[in-house]
Amino acid sequence: MSSESIQSAEAAGDARNCVNKSIHSDNVKEVHHVPMDVIIRPIPSVLDELKVQSLMDTIRESADISVVPPIDVLWIKGREGGNYYYSFGGCHRFAAYQRLKMSTIPAKLIKSNNSDLTTYLGASTPDLR
């Protein structure tokens, strides 16, 4: 067996044993179906169209929602009690669900605060009510 074949076999094994992890939601087990229209995505996505199409195919073909990992959504309570849902990652998954015209997306809610949001948005952080 050539060294290229061994490397390919090792890479395939690594891919099969890969566990999707998130620094934010690693300890969050519950997955919610969050309405797409409440999620705020303030940073424009740069998408790999082939990846989005592949995710769309996977979502269409499987009834098992765990096949595509949930996105992480920061859940922030405004100063007057409003609920705000921000997502910064999972852009390909979000685009796939959006293009499939799905009303909800599987997501892990991470209770957060305005200070965390400022980490992402800096001086552009809105006044959440």
Side-chain angles (χ1 to χ4, degrees):
M1 190 180 273
S2 72
S3 63
E4 287 177 4
S5 297
I6 292 170
Q7 289 173 343
S8 294
E10 288 173 350
D14 288 346
R16 283 190 302 271
N17 295 325
C18 179
V19 176
N20 292 304
K21 294 206 172 227
S22 165
I23 192 167
H24 294 292
S25 67
D26 217 15
N27 62 342
V28 177
K29 302 299 178 219
E30 191 171 358
V31 176
H32 300 271
H33 292 277
V34 177
M36 296 284 289
D37 61 355
V38 302
I39 298 174
I40 302 164
R41 296 187 56 85
I43 299 174
S45 300
V46 177
L47 299 173
D48 175 339
E49 292 300 326
L50 292 176
K51 189 171 183 178
V52 174
Q53 189 60 52
S54 175
L55 284 163
M56 289 172 65
D57 293 342
T58 300
I59 293 164
R60 267 194 295 258
E61 294 168 4
S62 179
D64 180 3
I65 67 160
S66 68
V67 172
V68 175
I71 65 170
D72 290 347
V73 173
L74 300 182
W75 173 26
I76 302 168
K77 283 276 194 190
R79 59 183 167 80
E80 295 177 7
N83 288 303
Y84 297 88
Y85 303 93
Y86 279 84
S87 179
F88 295 93
C91 59
H92 293 92
R93 287 169 282 169
F94 188 87
Y97 277 87
Q98 193 172 47
R99 291 179 189 180
L100 289 169
K101 298 187 182 341
M102 306 289 275
S103 61
T104 64
I105 186 169
K108 289 186 175 185
L109 295 178
I110 296 95
K111 289 183 182 175
S112 197
N113 56 47
N114 210 49
S115 177
D116 291 339
L117 189 59
T118 301
T119 300
Y120 288 99
L121 299 178
S124 298
T125 304
D127 178 20
L128 303 180
R129 295 178 181 254

